[in-house]
């Protein structure tokens, strides 16, 4: 069975039922993994998708990160002030931004914006029978369309995680020092008190995993669209639900691993 034929059989939506969907998704993941080691890579498509995903996700990321940062900082500083430990607010802000704020914001934005955008784009191509046309011409849609989008989602999710962490730390500093009158020197000196390299590594692994899963789910649902334009809308809604469930489950697992790994320092 050639790769295009495999895509038609397992990813093209001809099989139905939960088990068939799981099998189709696993098949697409394996084909994408194999395509990663087949060169040349579609660099132009990869760059285009990276820029496209950055344009549609950067503003929502900033809009989500700023209020979450203010809420986290305000609550944390009020709690620490009750114990007379406001000077170590930098440690709490760094821990919250690196381990939770960055990954959780990345989950919401990647699932709600990035993955749905991929699904809608590929879904529109599917209902216009462009994917069938590619297969008819002997062009494998996995390395041509799927792999660049999965890699782009992974790369952009990593950048978004870093952006949220930076915004979280800067926002926490501004809010703590200028609005809640915490010592700026004390805030900066305690940033690395409980947050170090293990926490940063785990946060990066989370972001990479989020982007990879979101890209794969978006591509799979986009390639398995049926029912015309209405089916595209249904697939987009299903993509959000599937991504949020999968990404939060991965976040819980990686957080548990990170806590265990960090406690052994």
């Amino acid at each position: 069975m050639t790769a295009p034929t495999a895509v038609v059989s397992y990813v093209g939506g001809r099989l139905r039922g939960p088990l068939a969907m799981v099998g189709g998704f696993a098949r697409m993941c394996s084909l994408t993994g194999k395509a990663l080691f087949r060169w040349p890579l579609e660099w132009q498509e990869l760059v285009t998708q990276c820029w496209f995903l950055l344009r549609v996700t950067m503003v929502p990321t900033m809009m989500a990160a700023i209020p979450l940062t203010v809420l986290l900082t305000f609550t944390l500083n009020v709690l620490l002030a009750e114990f007379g430990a406001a000077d170590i607010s930098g440690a709490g802000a760094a821990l919250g931004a690196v381990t939770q704020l960055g990954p959780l914001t990345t989950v919401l934005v990647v699932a709600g914006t990035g993955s749905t955008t991929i699904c809608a784009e590929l879904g529109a191509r599917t209902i216009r029978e462009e994917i069938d046309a590619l297969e008819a011409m002997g062009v494998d849609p996995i390395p041509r369309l799927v792999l660049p989008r999965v890699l782009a989602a992974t790369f952009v999710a990593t950048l978004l995680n870093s952006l949220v962490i930076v915004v979280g730390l800067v926002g926490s500093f501004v809010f703590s020092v200028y609005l809640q009158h915490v010592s700026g020197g004390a805030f900066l000196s305690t940033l690395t008190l409980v947050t170090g390299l293990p926490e940063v590594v785990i946060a990066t692994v989370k972001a990479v995993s989020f982007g990879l899963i979101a890209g794969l789910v978006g591509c799979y649902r986009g390639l398995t669209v049926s029912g015309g334009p209405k089916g595209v809308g249904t697939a987009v809604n299903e993509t959000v639900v599937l991504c949020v469930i999968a990404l939060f489950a991965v976040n819980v697992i990686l957080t548990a691993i990170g806590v265990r790994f960090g406690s052994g320092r």
Side-chain angles (χ1 to χ4, degrees):
M1 180 181 291
T2 62
T5 306
V7 174
V8 171
S9 300
Y10 291 94
V11 183
R14 296 184 179 178
L15 298 179
R16 293 294 183 265
L19 292 180
M21 291 183 63
V22 173
F25 181 73
R27 178 66 175 174
M28 193 197 72
C29 291
S30 66
L31 291 174
T32 304
K34 292 179 181 179
L36 183 61
F37 300 98
R38 292 189 352 224
W39 295 86
L41 182 65
E42 296 288 341
W43 291 104
Q44 184 176 359
E45 183 73 11
L46 175 60
V47 173
T48 301
Q49 291 301 315
C50 285
W51 175 243
F52 176 68
L53 289 176
L54 277 175
R55 285 193 296 110
V56 300
T57 58
M58 185 170 295
V59 173
T61 299
M62 298 290 290
M63 297 299 292
I66 293 174
L68 288 176
T69 297
V70 173
L71 178 62
L72 173 67
T73 303
F74 177 79
T75 305
L76 178 65
N77 288 345
V78 168
L79 178 62
L80 292 176
E82 291 293 328
F83 294 95
D87 288 341
I88 65 169
S89 62
L95 183 64
V98 173
T99 62
Q100 295 302 324
L101 182 62
L104 289 179
T105 306
T106 304
V107 164
L108 297 175
V109 174
V110 169
T113 305
S115 186
T116 55
T117 302
I118 293 174
C119 176
E121 182 192 3
L122 289 182
R125 293 191 177 194
T126 300
I127 65 173
R128 292 197 302 264
E129 299 183 349
E130 292 182 16
I131 306 300
D132 293 336
L134 286 176
E135 294 175 345
M137 292 187 295
V139 178
D140 191 346
I142 294 295
R144 180 66 180 86
L145 299 176
V146 175
L147 182 60
R149 284 162 176 77
V150 172
L151 293 179
T154 304
F155 178 70
V156 170
T158 307
L159 291 183
L160 292 180
N161 180 67
S162 303
L163 176 64
V164 173
I165 291 175
V166 172
V167 170
L169 293 178
V170 174
S172 296
F173 177 82
V174 173
F175 192 82
S176 299
V177 174
Y178 294 101
L179 296 180
Q180 292 187 301
H181 309 294
V182 176
S183 172
F187 184 95
L188 293 176
S189 64
T190 58
L191 281 177
T192 58
L193 187 62
V194 294
T195 305
L197 182 60
E199 287 74 23
V200 175
V201 171
I202 290 296
T204 304
V205 171
K206 285 182 181 181
V208 171
S209 302
F210 296 159
L212 181 64
I213 294 173
L216 289 171
V217 171
C219 288
Y220 177 74
R221 288 303 293 126
L223 293 176
T224 56
V225 165
S226 60
K230 181 180 178 181
V232 176
T234 302
V236 168
N237 293 334
E238 291 178 355
T239 299
V240 176
V241 176
L242 292 173
C243 280
V244 169
I245 293 175
L247 297 183
F248 271 107
V250 172
N251 184 52
V252 171
I253 295 172
L254 292 179
T255 298
I257 295 175
V259 171
R260 178 64 178 173
F261 183 55
S263 63
R265 287 187 297 169

